[in-house]
Structures are given as structure tokens and as C-alpha cells.
Amino acid sequence: MKKRIFSGAQPTGELHIGNYLGALKNWVALQDEYESFYCIVNLHAITLPQDPHGLRQKTLDLAKIYLAAGVDPAKATIFIQSDVPEHAELTWVLSCIARMGELERMTQFKDKGKGNAERAGVGLFTYPILMAADILLYQTDLVPVGQDQKQHLELSRDLAIRFNRDFGETFKVPEPYIPKAGASIKSLQDPQKKMSKSDENLKGAIFLMDSAETITKKIKSAVTDSGTDITFDESRPAINNLLTIYQLVTGKSGDECIAHFEGKGYGQFKGELAEATVEYLRPFQDRVNHYSDKELAEILKNGADKARAISSATLADVYHKTGIK
Ligand code: AMP
Ligand code: TRP
């Protein structure tokens, strides 16, 4: 039997090349080998205020992005989180075994709540429990995500282990799959910060639907560090980040990248990086509107049916073991 993968992204903002290189690319690479579930986590999206009409549209747009990135509905299950009510139901049960202390340690809550717990939404606080429910419902083996989700995954593992200990073997304990290169792509304007959908500085992120002209402009105006060598160097985060993007979009090895740019300057490097990034995203951009609305609805309906078949069995087991049913 194939092992199982679960991952998801939030239908908020526009996806950027960090999402692509850190997560989506791996979802596509792994879908042959694993039975894969890729979810559009719209319930997570409302942990911060969303415009209702915009959210509905972005949810469908994100499904199109999964497909355009190469997630194949014949191989993988693509579905919308809210179409499978078991996610919200298991969240409640898990929130009864999760501890305030462990949630308080989550750095994303501190970041997104801007350090003001008094004013932060409770949903933002319990967000990682919903994520654990997503994963554990499917008896998931592997979760491909970027570095920023590692702590949330640890919590999912802890909740699975605790539930199994208290109520008997129920959940598989999932493993993270975090890529060696690309797990944390940085902002082009501030290489100390991760590239983010919500960055106020729009020049910091390359969005997947950016035009060739915009991509080129953003790369040309990316900040650089002191020193002139084009090489991987942890102490020079700007060039390190740009060269990582180059490596991933060209598929070259690290050594090939270094050799290729030996003796060359930033101007030439940025020109080649821009060209390679544009070429990399072009086939994706061409495919974004490949499916009609009707086809998309069909894919999502099938996806939800497949997801429910599995998640309802897990939830029934949980309700039985906890004495709810
Ligand atoms: P989100 O858009 O926050 O739902 O994230 C979707 C996926 O992209 C998650 O697996 C994140 O870990 C990943 N991700 C987000 N930002 C970055 C980044 N700057 N570099 C690499 N991966 C990222
Ligand atoms: N929290 C993840 C993010 O913001 C999205 C997410 C929700 C997720 N549920 C998940 C990722 C389950 C992997 C598995 O990126």
C-alpha cells in the first residue's frame, strides 16, 4: 500500500515563489509515489479577517493554482477543507487534549497576533489544532511543508501521541518533509524575513502570476550584501537567497551554480536569474485557466467525496474511543 501525504495552503493573498519552491513543487514531485491529499484550507483563512466574497473566489483560484502547478486530479485528491466537516469536528476533540502552554509557544501566533494576545482572535490561537486535525484525519505518513510550519507539525505529532496514549492506538504519527533547499525563501527586500503573502513591501515577493516585466524589475531591485562573489554563503543572506532561487528554478546543482557564476558580477547574475525565473513560471501561468469552472467544481466534488470516505472513518473511531458515540 502506498504511504499517504497531506498538505494544504491558505486561500489568502497571492501565492509567491516561496510557496511554490517550499511546498507546491514537492507536492507535485511526491504525488506519484504517495497517495496524496492536497487541501485548500479556507477555515484556516478566517483566523484573520477576510472579505467573504473575496474568500470564496480565492478558494477556487487556489484550486486552479494547485492544478496549474501540476497536481494531477487523476493521482492526487484536491479538496476544500470546509467541504469535509470532519475537520472542524476533530478539531474540537483535539482541542480538549491540547494544552494552553503548548499553543502559547507557537511562534506563528506571536507573529500573526503581533504579540498582543489580549486582542488576538481565539481562532488564531487554536489554528494549529485545526491543522493537526487536517493531518491526523487521513492517517498521514508525510507532510510536505516549508520551514515555517515545522513547529505546527511538532504539535500535530504531540497531539497524536497523547491521544493514542490516553485512548488507545488511533492516529498515525506524521513526519515532516521539509526540503533541503527552498524551505524558507526570503524577502527580496529584506533577506532576514521570509517571503510572505502579507508583506507590505510588494517588491519583496515574486508572485506566481507576476508578468515577466514585474519579475525582472523585482529581481533587479533586490537588495544584495557586501562582497562580490556569487556563491552560497550563510553570512551573506541576500545572495544566498537569490542563488537558492536560481538553483531551484534551473534545477542545477549547487556546485554548478557556483561554477557558472564564477568571476561574473551581480548585474549578469540578476539578469540570468530573472530570465530563468520567468521561464520557470511561464508553463505554470499558461496552465492556470486550463480548467473550466464546471470541470473545477467536478474535481473538487470528487476530491471531497474521497476525503470524506477516509476522514469519516477516523472520526467515527475517535468518537467511539472517547465515548461520544
Ligand atoms: P501558506 O500560504 O501560509 O498557507 O503556506 C503554504 C505553504 O508554503 C506552507 O507549506 C508554507 O510552509 C510554505 N511557505 C510559505 N512561505 C514560504 C517561504 N517564504 N519559503 C518557503 N516556503 C514557504
Ligand atoms: N498552516 C499551513 C500554512 O499556513 C497550512 C495548513 C493547514 C497545512 N493545514 C495543513 C499544511 C495541514 C500542511 C498540513 O502554511
mmCIF file of all heavy atoms in Angstrom, residues 64 67-68 71-73 287-296 299:
data_model
loop_
_atom_site.group_PDB
_atom_site.id
_atom_site.type_symbol
_atom_site.label_atom_id
_atom_site.label_comp_id
_atom_site.label_asym_id
_atom_site.label_seq_id
_atom_site.Cartn_x
_atom_site.Cartn_y
_atom_site.Cartn_z
ATOM 1 N N LYS A 64 -7.181 26.201 -8.676
ATOM 2 C CA LYS A 64 -6.611 26.324 -10.031
ATOM 3 C C LYS A 64 -5.083 26.370 -9.970
ATOM 4 O O LYS A 64 -4.395 25.864 -10.855
ATOM 5 C CB LYS A 64 -7.122 27.595 -10.717
ATOM 6 C CG LYS A 64 -8.573 27.518 -11.098
ATOM 7 C CD LYS A 64 -8.942 28.739 -11.922
ATOM 8 C CE LYS A 64 -10.431 28.763 -12.212
ATOM 9 N NZ LYS A 64 -10.842 29.988 -12.878
ATOM 10 N N LEU A 67 -3.648 22.944 -9.505
ATOM 11 C CA LEU A 67 -3.704 22.198 -10.764
ATOM 12 C C LEU A 67 -2.649 22.702 -11.741
ATOM 13 O O LEU A 67 -1.953 21.917 -12.384
ATOM 14 C CB LEU A 67 -5.107 22.309 -11.370
ATOM 15 C CG LEU A 67 -6.213 21.598 -10.570
ATOM 16 C CD1 LEU A 67 -7.591 22.091 -10.973
ATOM 17 C CD2 LEU A 67 -6.104 20.077 -10.757
ATOM 18 N N ALA A 68 -2.511 24.021 -11.831
ATOM 19 C CA ALA A 68 -1.546 24.592 -12.769
ATOM 20 C C ALA A 68 -0.112 24.233 -12.370
ATOM 21 O O ALA A 68 0.764 24.074 -13.215
ATOM 22 C CB ALA A 68 -1.707 26.109 -12.833
ATOM 23 N N VAL A 71 -0.379 19.484 -9.837
ATOM 24 C CA VAL A 71 -1.092 18.478 -9.047
ATOM 25 C C VAL A 71 -2.126 17.859 -9.987
ATOM 26 O O VAL A 71 -2.904 18.562 -10.622
ATOM 27 C CB VAL A 71 -1.773 19.105 -7.810
ATOM 28 C CG1 VAL A 71 -2.601 18.054 -7.081
ATOM 29 C CG2 VAL A 71 -0.740 19.706 -6.865
ATOM 30 N N ASP A 72 -2.095 16.541 -10.108
ATOM 31 C CA ASP A 72 -2.902 15.851 -11.102
ATOM 32 C C ASP A 72 -4.100 15.195 -10.410
ATOM 33 O O ASP A 72 -3.937 14.298 -9.590
ATOM 34 C CB ASP A 72 -2.007 14.785 -11.766
ATOM 35 C CG ASP A 72 -2.749 13.996 -12.820
ATOM 36 O OD1 ASP A 72 -3.996 14.122 -12.917
ATOM 37 O OD2 ASP A 72 -2.088 13.223 -13.530
ATOM 38 N N PRO A 73 -5.321 15.644 -10.759
ATOM 39 C CA PRO A 73 -6.503 15.104 -10.071
ATOM 40 C C PRO A 73 -6.699 13.600 -10.304
ATOM 41 O O PRO A 73 -7.455 12.963 -9.573
ATOM 42 C CB PRO A 73 -7.663 15.920 -10.643
ATOM 43 C CG PRO A 73 -7.151 16.543 -11.882
ATOM 44 C CD PRO A 73 -5.664 16.659 -11.766
ATOM 45 N N ARG A 287 -1.030 27.505 -17.758
ATOM 46 C CA ARG A 287 -1.997 26.455 -17.403
ATOM 47 C C ARG A 287 -3.074 26.912 -16.422
ATOM 48 O O ARG A 287 -4.022 26.170 -16.165
ATOM 49 C CB ARG A 287 -1.252 25.269 -16.751
ATOM 50 C CG ARG A 287 -0.624 24.300 -17.735
ATOM 51 C CD ARG A 287 -0.262 23.001 -17.027
ATOM 52 N NE ARG A 287 0.620 23.205 -15.892
ATOM 53 C CZ ARG A 287 1.937 23.026 -15.917
ATOM 54 N NH1 ARG A 287 2.532 22.653 -17.021
ATOM 55 N NH2 ARG A 287 2.663 23.214 -14.838
ATOM 56 N N VAL A 288 -2.919 28.113 -15.870
ATOM 57 C CA VAL A 288 -3.811 28.498 -14.773
ATOM 58 C C VAL A 288 -5.296 28.483 -15.140
ATOM 59 O O VAL A 288 -6.140 28.145 -14.327
ATOM 60 C CB VAL A 288 -3.384 29.849 -14.162
ATOM 61 C CG1 VAL A 288 -4.547 30.639 -13.654
ATOM 62 C CG2 VAL A 288 -2.440 29.594 -13.005
ATOM 63 N N ASN A 289 -5.602 28.817 -16.376
ATOM 64 C CA ASN A 289 -7.015 28.812 -16.755
ATOM 65 C C ASN A 289 -7.395 27.622 -17.626
ATOM 66 O O ASN A 289 -8.359 27.664 -18.381
ATOM 67 C CB ASN A 289 -7.384 30.141 -17.411
ATOM 68 C CG ASN A 289 -7.418 31.240 -16.363
ATOM 69 O OD1 ASN A 289 -7.981 31.055 -15.288
ATOM 70 N ND2 ASN A 289 -6.760 32.355 -16.642
ATOM 71 N N HIS A 290 -6.656 26.552 -17.447
ATOM 72 C CA HIS A 290 -6.870 25.368 -18.271
ATOM 73 C C HIS A 290 -8.227 24.714 -18.008
ATOM 74 O O HIS A 290 -8.906 24.270 -18.923
ATOM 75 C CB HIS A 290 -5.739 24.367 -17.991
ATOM 76 C CG HIS A 290 -5.857 23.087 -18.728
ATOM 77 N ND1 HIS A 290 -5.575 22.981 -20.068
ATOM 78 C CD2 HIS A 290 -6.281 21.865 -18.330
ATOM 79 C CE1 HIS A 290 -5.786 21.732 -20.453
ATOM 80 N NE2 HIS A 290 -6.216 21.037 -19.415
ATOM 81 N N TYR A 291 -8.639 24.666 -16.751
ATOM 82 C CA TYR A 291 -9.901 24.008 -16.406
ATOM 83 C C TYR A 291 -11.057 25.011 -16.377
ATOM 84 O O TYR A 291 -10.905 26.123 -15.882
ATOM 85 C CB TYR A 291 -9.804 23.336 -15.038
ATOM 86 C CG TYR A 291 -8.896 22.130 -15.029
ATOM 87 C CD1 TYR A 291 -7.552 22.253 -14.668
ATOM 88 C CD2 TYR A 291 -9.365 20.874 -15.392
ATOM 89 C CE1 TYR A 291 -6.709 21.148 -14.667
ATOM 90 C CE2 TYR A 291 -8.534 19.762 -15.390
ATOM 91 C CZ TYR A 291 -7.205 19.904 -15.020
ATOM 92 O OH TYR A 291 -6.382 18.818 -15.022
ATOM 93 N N SER A 292 -12.203 24.596 -16.895
ATOM 94 C CA SER A 292 -13.396 25.449 -16.827
ATOM 95 C C SER A 292 -13.946 25.396 -15.399
ATOM 96 O O SER A 292 -13.588 24.501 -14.612
ATOM 97 C CB SER A 292 -14.462 24.932 -17.792
ATOM 98 O OG SER A 292 -14.953 23.688 -17.318
ATOM 99 N N ASP A 293 -14.855 26.325 -15.077
ATOM 100 C CA ASP A 293 -15.451 26.348 -13.738
ATOM 101 C C ASP A 293 -16.168 25.034 -13.446
ATOM 102 O O ASP A 293 -16.161 24.531 -12.329
ATOM 103 C CB ASP A 293 -16.437 27.516 -13.615
ATOM 104 C CG ASP A 293 -15.686 28.846 -13.598
ATOM 105 O OD1 ASP A 293 -14.441 28.825 -13.491
ATOM 106 O OD2 ASP A 293 -16.346 29.902 -13.706
ATOM 107 N N LYS A 294 -16.795 24.508 -14.495
ATOM 108 C CA LYS A 294 -17.556 23.260 -14.321
ATOM 109 C C LYS A 294 -16.604 22.098 -14.009
ATOM 110 O O LYS A 294 -16.856 21.296 -13.109
ATOM 111 C CB LYS A 294 -18.342 22.996 -15.608
ATOM 112 C CG LYS A 294 -19.313 21.889 -15.505
ATOM 113 C CD LYS A 294 -20.445 21.991 -16.535
ATOM 114 C CE LYS A 294 -21.159 20.658 -16.637
ATOM 115 N NZ LYS A 294 -20.612 19.775 -17.683
ATOM 116 N N GLU A 295 -15.520 22.034 -14.766
ATOM 117 C CA GLU A 295 -14.539 20.967 -14.513
ATOM 118 C C GLU A 295 -13.944 21.088 -13.112
ATOM 119 O O GLU A 295 -13.752 20.100 -12.403
ATOM 120 C CB GLU A 295 -13.403 21.029 -15.547
ATOM 121 C CG GLU A 295 -13.806 20.561 -16.924
ATOM 122 C CD GLU A 295 -12.766 20.908 -17.987
ATOM 123 O OE1 GLU A 295 -12.147 22.002 -17.915
ATOM 124 O OE2 GLU A 295 -12.558 20.079 -18.888
ATOM 125 N N LEU A 296 -13.677 22.327 -12.738
ATOM 126 C CA LEU A 296 -13.097 22.572 -11.417
ATOM 127 C C LEU A 296 -14.054 22.104 -10.317
ATOM 128 O O LEU A 296 -13.651 21.411 -9.366
ATOM 129 C CB LEU A 296 -12.798 24.068 -11.255
ATOM 130 C CG LEU A 296 -12.018 24.446 -10.010
ATOM 131 C CD1 LEU A 296 -10.611 23.880 -10.071
ATOM 132 C CD2 LEU A 296 -11.965 25.969 -9.853
ATOM 133 N N ILE A 299 -13.929 18.370 -10.035
ATOM 134 C CA ILE A 299 -12.706 17.895 -9.380
ATOM 135 C C ILE A 299 -12.817 18.055 -7.860
ATOM 136 O O ILE A 299 -12.479 17.153 -7.087
ATOM 137 C CB ILE A 299 -11.477 18.673 -9.921
ATOM 138 C CG1 ILE A 299 -11.188 18.266 -11.369
ATOM 139 C CG2 ILE A 299 -10.238 18.457 -9.043
ATOM 140 C CD1 ILE A 299 -10.178 19.158 -12.078
#
